[in-house]
Amino acid sequence: MGGITLAHSHTTRDRSSVSGTRPEHPVFIVGALRSGTTMLRLMLDAHPEICNFGEFEYAVKHANDNFVPDPVKYAQLLQTDRAFLAHGFEIPSTSSYEEVIRSFLSQAGERSGKPIVGATVHSRFDLLRSIWPKARFIHLIRDPRDVARSCIGMGWVGNVWYGADYWLDAEKRWEKVTAECSCEDYHELSFEALVVSPEQELHKICRFLDLDYDARMLTYAANSTYEPPDASLVNQWKTKLAPKQVSLVESKCGDLMERRGYSRHPKSHRPSIGTRVYLGAQNSLARKAFNLRRYGWPLYLKWQIAKRLSSGNATWASRVIAEKNKVDISYLR
């Protein structure tokens, strides 16, 4: 089976009227974690002609440019994937990993009956066009200083130096996507603009998708645990980060954040080797402490062992991951 290769031809979107669901023309929301993608997903999914069924990391998390998972092994991995299990898709019996992935969008489209089907992907989304050559993208970007700060609260990192990596990886992958796409295949907007002027930004997205704006897109809070757009969430880093923390993010994200429209202090310098060693140790300890508080010592130790087990102990490892997933689900909004 060949590896995933990114498409190099430009694709011009079909502007003809849509009848029936067309999973071969998906629309993906992409961007860094903690950038507001869930809020945007809920807005789009509230439109009567758009289905965005949720996070779709499992479509690409086990693949890369040079490797495509064996479909049997991939099916086994999905049995412990929390997001996949929540979606309740059936795994078809095929000889192709790509066919398995495509079937999930088809199933989502059939369930919803909506003509436009899509999902949200935060990592490795530059691989998506190799599976869906006619895919379109909505890129949501947020100030990296707020993304880095927010990642600490999730327990993923212990400091903003490592939190900035979530933003940096997503934006570098976005540059790959735009290099491969026609400008008509993607739309860009900022989190800041979305929460300050949500109706205006949603009008732009609808025009991109050749749809009429629907006011129900801003009623998502009535059917979810998410609040309506809140302009006070813009530039929280200005009051919640110390100057040294701001400098760490700016020194790592550098010119890329400026190209995205976010200014930085001209005296932001990369930290010394000694500081980076300290940040690495602090990050590791903070992550372990967070996980111990969330899962407790017994489950945490079992989880660490399960991650290192061979396939011969797959059944026990699956039970441990299922136990961990249950805890994680209890924290979801």
Side-chain angles (χ1 to χ4, degrees):
M1 186 181 298
I4 288 183
T5 303
L6 293 179
H8 289 278
S9 60
H10 286 184
T11 303
T12 301
R13 59 192 176 114
D14 183 358
R15 294 180 178 273
S16 61
S17 60
V18 179
S19 59
T21 298
R22 301 180 66 189
E24 72 277 11
H25 293 81
V27 176
F28 294 107
I29 297 173
V30 299
L33 286 160
R34 309 309 297 167
S35 60
T37 53
T38 299
M39 178 181 67
L40 179 58
R41 178 192 79 77
L42 292 170
M43 290 174 171
L44 266 60
D45 194 58
H47 193 287
E49 295 186 67
I50 304 173
C51 164
N52 187 303
F53 59 83
E55 295 192 1
F56 199 33
E57 306 297 325
Y58 54 87
V60 289
K61 67 186 291 185
H62 301 292
N64 57 46
D65 286 333
N66 301 309
F67 171 72
V68 175
D70 173 81
V72 175
K73 176 63 175 177
Y74 180 62
Q76 295 172 348
L77 293 170
L78 290 177
Q79 299 305 319
T80 56
D81 189 287
R82 177 167 52 82
F84 171 77
L85 294 175
H87 293 152
F89 295 135
E90 294 183 4
I91 303 175
S93 299
T94 74
S95 59
S96 167
Y97 157 78
E98 291 91 340
E99 290 177 358
V100 173
I101 295 301
R102 292 190 191 102
S103 77
F104 298 149
L105 249 64
S106 297
Q107 292 178 54
E110 290 170 1
R111 290 178 184 176
S112 70
K114 297 181 178 181
I116 297 178
V117 183
T120 303
V121 184
H122 302 102
S123 61
R124 299 184 180 179
F125 51 77
D126 50 311
L127 303 178
L128 291 170
R129 273 177 68 89
S130 65
I131 305 173
W132 290 279
K134 298 179 180 179
R136 289 178 283 172
F137 299 89
I138 298 172
H139 174 230
L140 183 64
I141 185 171
R142 188 180 187 183
D143 191 306
R145 291 159 292 202
D146 275 325
V147 170
R149 178 193 58 79
S150 186
C151 287
I152 297 175
M154 300 301 294
W156 302 333
V157 297
N159 53 62
V160 294
W161 177 253
Y162 285 90
D165 289 335
Y166 282 87
W167 186 90
L168 202 57
D169 178 74
E171 292 311 306
K172 287 181 177 179
R173 290 184 183 276
W174 179 242
E175 291 198 328
K176 293 182 181 180
V177 173
T178 55
E180 301 295 334
C181 287
S182 162
C183 62
E184 292 194 352
D185 289 330
Y186 64 84
H187 176 78
E188 300 179 280
L189 74 156
S190 71
F191 168 84
E192 292 80 12
L194 182 62
V195 297
V196 171
S197 305
E199 185 172 341
Q200 179 179 334
E201 294 302 315
L202 291 175
H203 269 283
K204 293 177 183 178
I205 291 176
C206 288
R207 285 197 295 271
F208 166 67
L209 298 175
D210 292 329
L211 296 175
D212 292 327
Y213 169 75
D214 193 293
R216 282 172 285 187
M217 300 176 79
L218 286 175
T219 66
Y220 66 90
N223 300 303
S224 74
T225 58
Y226 277 72
E227 299 295 327
D230 183 358
S232 70
L233 298 176
V234 173
N235 294 330
Q236 287 190 312
W237 63 270
K238 291 183 177 181
T239 57
K240 295 189 176 183
L241 291 185
K244 288 184 178 179
Q245 292 176 301
V246 174
S247 181
L248 286 174
V249 178
E250 292 178 351
S251 66
K252 176 169 275 191
C253 298
D255 294 339
L256 186 53
M257 65 180 289
E258 288 192 326
R259 293 202 300 272
R260 296 293 190 269
Y262 298 101
S263 61
R264 57 172 173 156
H265 195 279
K267 294 184 179 180
S268 297
H269 299 296
R270 187 173 177 83
S272 66
I273 294 176
T275 300
R276 295 200 299 272
V277 170
Y278 167 78
L279 290 169
Q282 190 268 331
N283 178 66
S284 178
L285 289 173
R287 291 180 60 195
K288 289 179 181 177
F290 179 92
N291 288 329
L292 285 172
R293 288 194 301 271
R294 170 164 288 194
Y295 305 115
W297 271 105
L299 179 55
Y300 176 78
L301 291 176
K302 288 190 292 183
W303 174 37
Q304 297 306 306
I305 295 171
K307 290 192 295 185
R308 294 165 174 79
L309 284 179
S310 64
S311 58
N313 298 287
T315 301
W316 180 81
S318 296
R319 289 200 299 267
V320 171
I321 295 174
E323 186 178 353
K324 174 183 174 292
N325 286 344
K326 186 176 180 180
V327 175
D328 288 334
I329 290 171
S330 69
Y331 285 90
L332 294 178
R333 291 180 61 182

